[in-house]
Amino acid sequence: MEFLKPYTALIENRLQSLPLPQKPSGLYDPQRYILGMGGKRIRPMLSLVSCGLCGVDMERAVPAALSVELIHNFTLLHDDIMDQADSRRGHETVHRRWDVASAILAGDGMFVQALLMLQDVPPGCDHKQMMNELLTGVNTVCEGQALDMEFENRQDVSLGEYLTMIEGKTGALLSTSMKLGGYSAGADEDQIRLLDQIGRSLGLAFQIQDDLLDVIADPSQFGKIPAGDIREGKKTFLMLTALEHCSVEQKKSILGYFQKRPLTVNQIDEIISIYRSTGTIEEAEKQIGSYYKRAESALDKFVDSNYKQDLSNLINYLKNREI
Amino acid sequence: MEFLKPYTALIENRLQSLPLPQKPSGLYDPQRYILGMGGKRIRPMLSLVSCGLCGVDMERAVPAALSVELIHNFTLLHDDIMDQADSRRGHETVHRRWDVASAILAGDGMFVQALLMLQDVPPGCDHKQMMNELLTGVNTVCEGQALDMEFENRQDVSLGEYLTMIEGKTGALLSTSMKLGGYSAGADEDQIRLLDQIGRSLGLAFQIQDDLLDVIADPSQFGKIPAGDIREGKKTFLMLTALEHCSVEQKKSILGYFQKRPLTVNQIDEIISIYRSTGTIEEAEKQIGSYYKRAESALDKFVDSNYKQDLSNLINYLKNREI
């Protein structure tokens, strides 16, 4: 991903010079720790490239870019507690290495740092509008997380509800990242609408792709337990699509398996064969393709630039990922 | 507290008409639940009265007042998890009634609501400056909480460090509440400095008073286990003052007791008698009086008004509280 380097180099450089105090170490050490874990930095890259798409040097979008990356890390700190995750990016999670109280507090503190970062938007930007965009974006992420938790205990989740949930959990912050980049460039309403469409579509495509890769990815490369989602009885795009298309008997037996998680290897194989016989795999591929297409059509409306080429490259890279 | 009624009536009325959506219920029900528990609403009252002190009708400070009350409730949601508290204001805490994940998420969501509320400050207010004040205030609260957690595992906490901790945990948000009220009124720098001094002093006075009441309050009225702080080996103003003034032997035995918490009734009695023999009780009373005095001197500098009289009444009420 050579084309990403100018963006990630700028982001890493600025993240490292964040003015986080040394003390109290209980508040700031976990913040430094999770930021030091790295990550793909997709969200800040989207802010920078969006600023460029609107005709302004990406440097102007640095505060917005850092802000969304800090927001993302704040949500990871809290999500890892909620999901009881032991590791992230090959490192112990903060609530394991420290404790739950420290991880809650570090997340709260990082949320504050993210918002303080947005205080530094360059002169001429509409600070209040950008703050509004960021806050409503984070609230939508919270709503998505609440739906995700609610779905665990419900057997009647519809595909539409699922799409609302992933649009909140993943799409909202990608869209916000792009719009804040646009606002940093003084983008007009049409441009903001296009950036929103790209971010939202990428989020949906990416998430359904995750659901699909869980089933079809090469286990030696995927880095997760294959079919882990089925094993846990998660309501994914594939599961909900299959439940809409399978026979009454198949539906009854799948919902029965959900009562006794984790599912056995035989039950997992049975479900994968239902995915195949009901055309669920093809339906997922079709949806992913259509969301990426939506993102590309919106991107097409911007004038040509290196930024446009870079985002096009990123979309191609994401489209073809196998892990 | 008849003089508080116009303030609390206004606050309760506006809190009840907060536009919190019904769904997802997992995000918003816990927020409604904790707001419905009531509470003294001291912070929003301080915002309203501060606006009035600066010569402007308190109505202008309603967004600021609601914002600080929502911030306070966000911190309660997360603090109750960190402290593993089972009840608050006679109700089950959110993490008990729902679960830890829901309480974390509801806190995050309420933090967002607090900041969205501040988007509604009246025209003419410096929104960016007010946002900065609120964010740095919340960060100081987080620093105070981190110090409080750190102190649990340290035997060498100084009185100065303790004062920094309570100034963060309690004083910062009281000061922020007052300053945001002032900013709502378009207060000048001198007025903001005075409001800061009042809020900060009230926070310190109130917290040291809490420490004192733990030891000397009438158990039938206090509503907590008497000497609960000593029992838990907490580093309070009294404990740290006593440790500075007692003999080497006494210090050694107190620090020994800390290793095996909770302390026995005999150990508690021994420590209370050390408080008395070292003049610690008097020292606490002196400090409380001096912080209230600081608040009163600053208040004195404002021109006479009903608002000024109301805040003076509140200070008197707090000064004389026995629970």
Side-chain angles (χ1 to χ4, degrees):
Chain A
M1 296 208 286
E2 196 63 28
F3 63 93
L4 272 181
K5 280 205 175 143
Y7 303 96
T8 46
L10 178 58
I11 295 154
E12 292 300 336
N13 178 288
R14 297 303 171 87
L15 279 178
Q16 269 162 32
S17 52
L18 270 192
L20 285 181
Q22 289 302 315
K23 292 189 173 183
S25 57
L27 178 61
Y28 297 112
D29 281 358
Q31 293 185 42
R32 263 187 288 272
Y33 173 79
I34 193 166
L35 289 175
M37 280 184 192
K40 294 185 290 292
R41 314 296 192 199
I42 294 286
R43 290 159 193 80
M45 186 269 182
L46 290 177
S47 297
L48 297 176
V49 85
S50 298
C51 182
L53 278 178
C54 298
V56 173
D57 188 279
M58 67 177 176
E59 181 73 30
R60 246 180 102 82
V62 166
L66 295 177
S67 185
V68 296
E69 182 63 13
L70 294 174
I71 289 286
H72 177 55
N73 279 272
F74 136 64
T75 65
L76 296 181
L77 282 163
H78 285 185
D79 281 359
D80 282 342
I81 310 172
M82 300 189 211
D83 299 341
Q84 301 182 288
D86 294 331
S87 72
R88 168 166 300 280
R89 297 170 189 156
H91 300 268
E92 258 186 311
T93 49
V94 166
H95 70 104
R96 290 279 174 221
R97 188 175 167 120
W98 282 267
D99 50 38
V100 168
S102 300
I104 294 174
L105 188 63
D108 294 343
M110 187 159 276
F111 190 4
V112 176
Q113 294 298 328
L115 297 164
L116 281 171
M117 187 54 68
L118 207 65
Q119 298 287 97
D120 292 339
V121 291
C125 292
D126 187 337
H127 167 264
K128 195 169 170 183
Q129 186 177 36
M130 292 176 76
M131 185 58 81
N132 213 54
E133 174 59 38
L134 187 62
L135 293 173
T136 52
V138 175
N139 201 55
T140 307
V141 173
C142 291
E143 290 187 345
Q145 174 68 13
L147 286 176
D148 198 13
M149 283 157 52
E150 177 185 319
F151 292 175
E152 280 178 38
N153 304 311
R154 273 181 49 197
Q155 301 289 28
D156 61 343
V157 180
S158 73
L159 198 54
E161 287 180 299
Y162 176 78
L163 293 174
T164 302
M165 184 275 281
I166 59 172
E167 199 170 348
K169 256 192 100 161
T170 310
L173 194 52
L174 295 186
S175 154
T176 291
S177 301
M178 298 201 68
K179 285 155 85 179
L180 288 182
Y183 286 128
S184 301
D188 63 32
E189 272 183 43
D190 286 342
Q191 290 174 313
I192 293 293
R193 204 173 28 75
L194 291 170
L195 294 173
D196 175 62
Q197 186 175 322
I198 301 174
R200 212 165 283 275
S201 306
L202 288 181
L204 286 160
F206 193 89
Q207 197 58 53
I208 300 175
Q209 211 176 7
D210 251 11
D211 292 353
L212 180 62
L213 287 169
D214 182 66
V215 177
I216 66 163
D218 178 353
S220 68
Q221 290 195 25
F222 191 49
K224 297 186 192 172
I225 300 161
D229 290 343
I230 303 180
R231 204 178 126 81
E232 299 301 325
K234 276 182 77 171
K235 281 104 186 169
T236 65
F237 180 89
L238 282 83
M239 179 60 80
L240 296 170
T241 302
L243 284 172
E244 286 191 358
H245 293 313
C246 68
S247 69
V248 178
E249 287 75 31
Q250 287 172 326
K251 185 169 177 172
K252 217 174 134 184
S253 71
I254 294 176
L255 294 180
Y257 300 160
F258 281 3
Q259 308 297 323
K260 278 179 75 177
R261 290 169 280 176
L263 277 65
T264 67
V265 173
N266 281 345
Q267 291 168 340
I268 293 172
D269 286 345
E270 185 189 329
I271 288 174
I272 293 178
S273 80
I274 294 174
Y275 283 177
R276 297 200 188 281
S277 64
T278 52
T280 293
I281 306 280
E282 291 77 11
E283 179 63 24
E285 283 165 345
K286 206 182 102 189
Q287 283 297 326
I288 295 163
S290 125
Y291 283 121
Y292 277 125
K293 186 87 208 138
R294 273 199 76 190
E296 287 167 330
S297 312
L299 177 57
D300 223 36
K301 302 219 169 73
F302 286 91
V303 295
D304 288 345
S305 68
N306 289 338
Y307 292 109
K308 185 173 170 179
Q309 189 55 53
D310 289 338
L311 184 51
S312 174
N313 288 342
L314 177 65
I315 295 177
N316 274 320
Y317 166 79
L318 292 175
K319 234 172 24 181
N320 298 312
R321 75 190 174 109
E322 293 181 351
I323 52 166
Chain B
M1 293 208 288
E2 198 61 29
F3 62 95
L4 272 181
K5 280 203 177 148
Y7 304 97
T8 48
L10 178 59
I11 295 154
E12 292 300 335
N13 179 288
R14 299 302 171 89
L15 279 179
Q16 268 162 32
S17 53
L18 270 192
L20 285 181
Q22 288 302 316
K23 292 189 171 185
S25 57
L27 179 60
Y28 297 112
D29 281 357
Q31 293 185 42
R32 264 187 287 272
Y33 174 78
I34 192 166
L35 289 175
M37 279 185 195
K40 294 184 291 293
R41 314 296 192 199
I42 294 287
R43 290 159 193 79
M45 186 269 181
L46 289 178
S47 297
L48 297 176
V49 85
S50 299
C51 181
L53 277 179
C54 298
V56 174
D57 187 277
M58 66 177 175
E59 182 71 31
R60 246 181 103 83
V62 167
L66 294 177
S67 186
V68 295
E69 183 61 15
L70 293 174
I71 289 286
H72 177 55
N73 279 272
F74 137 65
T75 65
L76 295 182
L77 282 163
H78 285 185
D79 280 359
D80 281 342
I81 310 172
M82 300 189 210
D83 298 342
Q84 302 181 289
D86 294 330
S87 71
R88 165 167 302 280
R89 298 171 190 154
H91 300 269
E92 259 186 309
T93 49
V94 166
H95 71 104
R96 291 279 173 221
R97 188 176 168 119
W98 282 267
D99 49 39
V100 168
S102 301
I104 293 175
L105 188 63
D108 294 343
M110 187 160 276
F111 189 3
V112 175
Q113 295 298 330
L115 297 165
L116 281 171
M117 188 54 69
L118 208 65
Q119 298 288 96
D120 292 338
V121 292
C125 291
D126 187 338
H127 168 263
K128 194 169 171 182
Q129 185 176 36
M130 290 175 76
M131 185 59 81
N132 212 56
E133 173 58 39
L134 187 61
L135 293 173
T136 51
V138 175
N139 201 57
T140 308
V141 173
C142 290
E143 290 187 344
Q145 175 67 13
L147 286 176
D148 199 13
M149 283 157 52
E150 177 184 320
F151 291 175
E152 279 177 39
N153 304 309
R154 274 180 50 197
Q155 301 289 27
D156 60 344
V157 179
S158 73
L159 198 55
E161 287 180 301
Y162 175 78
L163 293 174
T164 302
M165 185 275 281
I166 59 172
E167 200 170 349
K169 257 192 100 162
T170 309
L173 194 52
L174 295 185
S175 153
T176 291
S177 301
M178 298 201 68
K179 285 155 86 179
L180 288 181
Y183 286 128
S184 301
D188 64 32
E189 272 183 43
D190 285 342
Q191 289 173 314
I192 293 293
R193 205 173 26 74
L194 290 171
L195 294 173
D196 175 64
Q197 186 176 323
I198 300 174
R200 213 166 283 276
S201 306
L202 287 182
L204 287 160
F206 193 88
Q207 197 59 54
I208 300 175
Q209 210 175 7
D210 251 10
D211 291 354
L212 179 63
L213 287 169
D214 182 67
V215 177
I216 65 163
D218 177 354
S220 68
Q221 291 195 22
F222 190 49
K224 296 184 191 173
I225 300 161
D229 290 344
I230 303 180
R231 202 177 127 81
E232 299 302 324
K234 277 182 76 172
K235 280 101 186 170
T236 64
F237 181 88
L238 282 82
M239 179 61 78
L240 296 170
T241 303
L243 284 172
E244 285 190 359
H245 293 312
C246 67
S247 69
V248 177
E249 288 74 30
Q250 286 172 325
K251 185 169 179 173
K252 215 173 139 187
S253 71
I254 293 177
L255 294 180
Y257 299 159
F258 281 3
Q259 308 297 322
K260 279 179 76 177
R261 290 170 280 175
L263 276 65
T264 67
V265 173
N266 280 347
Q267 291 168 340
I268 293 173
D269 286 345
E270 184 187 330
I271 288 174
I272 294 179
S273 81
I274 293 174
Y275 283 178
R276 297 200 187 279
S277 65
T278 52
T280 293
I281 306 280
E282 291 76 11
E283 178 63 24
E285 283 165 346
K286 205 180 105 190
Q287 282 297 326
I288 295 162
S290 125
Y291 283 121
Y292 277 126
K293 186 88 209 136
R294 274 199 76 191
E296 287 167 330
S297 313
L299 177 58
D300 223 36
K301 302 219 170 72
F302 286 92
V303 293
D304 288 344
S305 67
N306 289 338
Y307 293 108
K308 185 171 170 179
Q309 189 55 51
D310 289 338
L311 184 52
S312 173
N313 288 343
L314 177 66
I315 295 176
N316 274 322
Y317 165 79
L318 292 174
K319 238 176 15 184
N320 297 312
R321 77 190 173 109
E322 291 182 353
I323 52 165

